[in-house]
């Protein structure tokens, strides 16, 4: 027992709310704080991390779409956020599937919140299922600490069908202003970095740098093969490190210099995209474990 306080809200809390206006109408959100971290979980969208701040300053990218409860295509639905989960049917653009898949749009069930003077733990489940089709259960645990500046997302993917299922998973971790700027640099332990597009290939010299906003600039993507962690040094002496657990190929680095859509994505994934893409498989009753940690110094 900490004798310096008598209410947990001084160091840690989680408030569950339902929004009742605009495009966010009906969204179930959880406003959280643990030590230096403040963040919002989207209970209506896979328990994803809708935004995150450190010492009161925003770190995450939040797109012009904001927090939306609309069921539209990815480009009109993508709110960014500190974490946007992609899969389990598709990551990237795969014919016959929505861009980046369906899992983000599945609401969490069986949500449980636990708060102590040491940590905040929130659990929930998302079921991706279809009649005569798949029955995949994603069991998620989110942990934030009062004395450590980090957030951990731990997932268990359970195949509750009676057949082998294919799947893919991508953690779309998104950084934005004011953390992000033209002085931002990246550090990677990748064995190889492959540009995704011709434009990205022409800018390989700046693959680990960020740039000033440019109106209507085309995005760039790079595949960090074999990388286990990427560190992003921000504008305000803060640095963030993204690491993962589970069978990932490495990271996808997504850079958008476009004015207004100014964002950096650091995305551990089970596969690279386009011609490199391949599904993984999970057997009946088998559990696959994955996770992503975002830590700050």
């Amino acid at each position: 027992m900490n004798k310096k306080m008598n209410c947990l809200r001084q160091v840690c809390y989680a408030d569950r709310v339902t929004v009742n206006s605009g495009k966010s109408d009906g969204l179930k959100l959880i406003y959280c704080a643990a030590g230096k971290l403040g963040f919002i979980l989207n209970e209506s969208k896979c328990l994803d991390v809708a935004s995150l701040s450190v010492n009161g300053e925003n770190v995450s990218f939040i797109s012009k779409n904001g927090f939306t409860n609309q069921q539209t295509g990815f480009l009109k639905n993508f709110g960014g956020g500190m974490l946007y989960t992609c899969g389990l049917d598709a990551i990237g653009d795969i014919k016959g599937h929505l861009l980046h898949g369906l899992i983000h749009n599945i609401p969490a069930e069986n949500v449980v919140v636990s708060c102590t003077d040491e940590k905040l733990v929130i659990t929930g489940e998302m079921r991706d299922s279809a009649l005569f089709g798949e029955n995949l259960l994603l069991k998620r645990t989110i942990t934030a600490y009062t004395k450590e500046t980090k957030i951990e997302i731990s997932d268990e993917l359970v195949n509750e069908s009676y057949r082998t299922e294919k799947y893919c998973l991508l953690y779309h971790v998104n950084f934005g202003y004011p953390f992000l700027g033209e002085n931002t640099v990246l550090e990677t332990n990748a064995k190889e970095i492959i540009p995704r597009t011709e434009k990205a290939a022409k800018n390989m010299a700046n693959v680990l740098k960020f740039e000033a906003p440019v109106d209507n600039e085309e995005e760039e993507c790079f595949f960090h093969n074999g990388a286990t962690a990427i560190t992003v040094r921000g504008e305000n002496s803060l640095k963030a490190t993204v690491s993962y657990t589970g069978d990932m190929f490495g990271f996808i680095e997504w850079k958008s210099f476009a004015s207004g859509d100014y964002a950096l994505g650091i995305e551990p994934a089970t596969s690279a995209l386009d011609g490199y893409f391949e599904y993984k498989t999970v057997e009946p009753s088998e559990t696959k474990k994955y996770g992503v940690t975002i830590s700050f110094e």
Side-chain angles (χ1 to χ4, degrees):
M1 179 69 68
N2 186 341
K3 294 183 179 181
K4 295 180 180 178
M5 66 178 194
N6 205 27
C7 180
L8 280 176
R9 292 189 71 87
Q10 291 184 226
V11 294
C12 181
Y13 65 81
D15 292 336
R16 299 172 75 174
V17 304
T18 301
V19 184
N20 63 2
S21 63
K23 292 194 297 182
S24 301
D25 188 56
L27 278 183
K28 293 183 178 181
L29 304 177
I30 309 176
Y31 282 75
C32 304
K36 297 178 180 180
L37 291 184
F39 55 97
I40 301 173
L41 301 182
N42 195 333
E43 195 172 339
S44 297
K45 305 277 186 177
C46 197
L47 266 185
D48 277 340
V49 186
S51 68
L52 184 143
S53 62
V54 178
N55 286 330
E57 187 165 87
N58 177 61
V59 172
S60 52
F61 168 67
I62 302 173
S63 83
K64 60 174 74 74
N65 295 328
F67 301 164
T68 176
N69 204 20
Q70 296 174 308
Q71 297 297 322
T72 56
F74 175 80
L75 294 180
K76 287 186 174 293
N77 190 53
F78 180 61
M82 195 76 258
L83 172 67
Y84 184 109
T85 307
C86 302
L88 299 166
D89 55 326
I91 59 176
D93 190 6
I94 299 176
K95 187 176 181 180
H97 298 272
L98 293 177
L99 184 63
H100 277 321
L102 291 169
I103 189 66
H104 170 78
N105 290 315
I106 298 177
E109 299 178 305
N110 301 321
V111 175
V112 177
V113 177
S114 173
C115 191
T116 70
D117 62 350
E118 294 183 350
K119 62 184 178 181
L120 171 64
V121 181
I122 299 176
T123 61
E125 299 177 346
M126 285 65 62
R127 186 175 298 276
D128 186 355
S129 62
L131 182 65
F132 307 126
E134 68 277 4
N135 189 16
L136 295 173
L137 182 66
L138 188 68
K139 301 168 71 174
R140 172 160 287 182
T141 300
I142 297 171
T143 307
Y145 301 87
T146 60
K147 296 181 181 179
E148 298 179 69
T149 315
K150 69 178 180 180
I151 184 170
E152 298 172 342
I153 296 91
S154 300
D155 289 336
E156 293 184 0
L157 177 62
V158 185
N159 182 3
E160 295 193 344
S161 72
Y162 297 92
R163 67 184 193 187
T164 301
E165 297 289 356
K166 62 182 183 180
Y167 71 93
C168 51
L169 179 65
L170 182 151
Y171 294 115
H172 213 299
V173 177
N174 308 288
F175 296 95
Y177 178 83
F179 173 81
L180 188 66
E182 52 264 45
N183 295 313
T184 297
V185 295
L186 282 66
E187 299 171 2
T188 180
N189 60 0
K191 297 176 181 178
E192 180 183 27
I193 301 177
I194 299 175
R196 183 184 182 190
T197 62
E198 182 178 344
K199 181 180 184 302
K202 291 179 179 179
N203 200 25
M204 277 295 293
N206 293 316
V207 64
L208 299 180
K209 301 177 183 178
F210 218 72
E211 300 173 32
V214 180
D215 293 355
N216 305 306
E217 182 74 350
E218 180 185 337
E219 65 183 0
E220 297 177 3
C221 281
F222 304 87
F223 305 140
H224 290 241
N225 292 344
T228 58
I230 291 182
T231 294
V232 183
R233 294 185 178 272
E235 294 290 291
N236 53 2
S237 76
L238 187 68
K239 71 175 182 179
T241 299
V242 182
S243 58
Y244 63 82
T245 57
D247 187 14
M248 302 290 197
F249 92 95
F251 289 84
I252 298 169
E253 173 192 349
W254 168 59
K255 295 199 287 191
S256 174
F257 305 125
S259 301
D261 295 323
Y262 194 68
L264 168 66
I266 303 297
E267 308 162 18
T270 55
S271 173
L273 307 179
D274 308 326
Y276 300 98
F277 176 77
E278 58 182 3
Y279 284 105
K280 293 191 178 296
T281 58
V282 56
E283 299 300 321
S285 300
E286 184 181 9
T287 297
K288 299 283 189 177
K289 293 184 178 182
Y290 292 94
V292 60
T293 297
I294 312 167
S295 57
F296 299 91
E297 296 180 37

